[in-house]
Amino acid sequence: MDEEVTTESRKETEVAPALIAVHPTGHHIAVAVGPELRIFNLLNNSAVSLHDDSISGDNHFHKDNIRAIRFGAKGKLFVSAGDDKTLKIWSAESWHCILTVSSEKRVTAVAISNDGLYVCFADKFGLVWVVDLNQTSIDKKPTPLLSHYCSIITSLEFSPDNRFIISADRDFKIRVTNFPKNPLNGAHEIQSFCLGHTEFVSCLAFVPAQESPHSLLLSGSGDSTVRLWDISSGALLDTCEVAVKAGLLESNDNTEEHGHAVTDLCTTLDGLLVAVAIQSLRGIVLLSYNVSAQTLSVAKVVSIAGDTFVPTCLANSPPTRELWMVTGVSSLPGYDYPSLARVLVISGIDADQEPVVLGDDKIPGGVKLLETLQGTAAVDDNAFSVAAEAVKAAMCNLLIKKQYPFENREYRKKTRNDRKLKE
């Protein structure tokens, strides 16, 4: 009984970070916080109405925290997925849900092939599933693609040429798998492993193909570093200690090592700059990528005035060279907020310009956008300080592997969900 109460109370207080995604054209901005999915159309300067024929009388298209959102490279698809064990595939043109896919476990990461033909998602048990959008069957069921058994997958990416699917996990490793011509038969050929991180891998991003025809990959981690990899061989090309460079840590300082995890990164300026979000940093770090030397270096640290905005997710808008950021959580303990989100934009993301954090009156879409994506134009700064700590604790609880005494390990093995007899 005590075990059930503990599990239930943990579930009730579990928080999820706010997420943000930008359409390839920059015309749509999406924010997810808790079960809420909010889309704003910058062309029409209005909120987008979502339509899901499988749901009636409920504005929440997901029943639990959303853990992953993404636009397809061609801008035709948008996907959302999370703790309610569902993946929803939306038309990014009509904003109708064209497919709802059920997962056996909570979804932790999603990816869309660059040709828009396949959607992959990963679950907490380490399985990666694939949905073939070419199937003529109305009931497009997911098919197992590959697995990292018992290791939570934190990020999924297709390589720019669609040759590989890359999966990162909490066991410090990055797996590069050949994406087969017929993925419904599974992906059995591993190209390489990118090994070198000393804590969980939290995020992945590719250097754009025009700057890197050999498919170079960037990864961020709980070890407070961003690393550059050649995925064809798995070779580590460079390591940048971003928390040290940003002044959050001293070199070789392991105190509070999990407090400065890299939470997100994205490439900007055609891959020549990399924006990095770090826990406890009120702003971002901009890394410069040297094409010829294949190295990373800190270009500048962009600070955000005040002491409350610690980004939980980043998204680049290539047409306008703006970096969109969000901070926030769902179900913040001690506050009467079902969800909390704050959106900011940095303009002038350029090697020769000084980036500027736009005020609310200068942000594209203005007050209408903020009201849509944040839920309100007014924000409680005190709540965001608590939110940053809640996200840090949640990330640590989810991704730092726990050590149990022998007797506890045996009990946990016996009571695993996959060992229980189905009634």
Side-chain angles (χ1 to χ4, degrees), residues 77-251:
L77 297 177
F78 178 82
V79 296
S80 58
D83 289 348
D84 62 355
K85 303 179 183 180
T86 61
L87 170 102
K88 289 187 176 290
I89 302 174
W90 306 82
S91 164
E93 298 169 339
S94 67
W95 288 106
H96 277 77
C97 180
I98 57 179
L99 184 65
T100 298
V101 178
S102 297
S103 169
E104 294 182 1
K105 296 185 180 295
R106 300 186 193 183
V107 179
T108 58
V110 297
I112 305 173
S113 63
N114 293 294
D115 55 16
L117 301 180
Y118 300 98
V119 173
C120 291
F121 65 93
D123 64 30
K124 287 191 69 174
F125 197 62
L127 280 170
V128 177
W129 302 79
V130 60
V131 180
D132 184 355
L133 298 182
N134 283 316
Q135 284 182 312
T136 55
S137 171
I138 297 178
D139 185 17
K140 296 180 175 66
K141 293 184 178 180
T143 302
L145 181 71
L146 57 93
S147 64
H148 289 233
Y149 283 112
C150 298
S151 182
I152 295 174
I153 294 177
T154 56
S155 186
L156 281 178
E157 290 288 338
F158 276 93
S159 62
D161 58 7
N162 275 338
R163 288 181 57 201
F164 307 107
I165 184 166
I166 293 79
S167 48
D169 63 36
R170 74 167 181 176
D171 287 332
F172 319 164
K173 65 181 181 292
I174 300 167
R175 173 174 166 175
V176 181
T177 306
N178 286 275
F179 193 72
K181 291 183 178 179
N182 186 1
L184 299 187
N185 291 334
H188 307 293
E189 184 180 349
I190 298 174
Q191 175 71 21
S192 65
F193 282 99
C194 300
L195 304 176
H197 281 297
T198 57
E199 286 293 342
F200 59 86
V201 183
S202 53
C203 48
L204 302 172
F206 270 95
V207 175
Q210 61 267 29
E211 297 297 343
S212 173
H214 300 296
S215 293
L216 299 190
L217 180 74
L218 296 157
S219 62
S221 167
D223 62 14
S224 307
T225 68
V226 172
R227 302 187 188 231
L228 180 68
W229 310 88
D230 180 341
I231 63 170
S232 61
S233 64
L236 175 61
L237 301 177
D238 198 19
T239 299
C240 185
E241 296 183 350
V242 287
V244 173
K245 300 294 185 181
L248 297 174
L249 282 175
E250 295 182 6
S251 185

Side-chain angles (χ1 to χ4, degrees), residues 8 22 34 52 54 92 131 141 158 239 241 246-247 282 303 305 322 405:
E8 185 63 28
V22 177
D52 186 348
S54 66
V131 180
K141 293 184 178 180
F158 276 93
T239 299
E241 296 183 350
R282 302 175 187 96
S303 299
E322 293 169 336

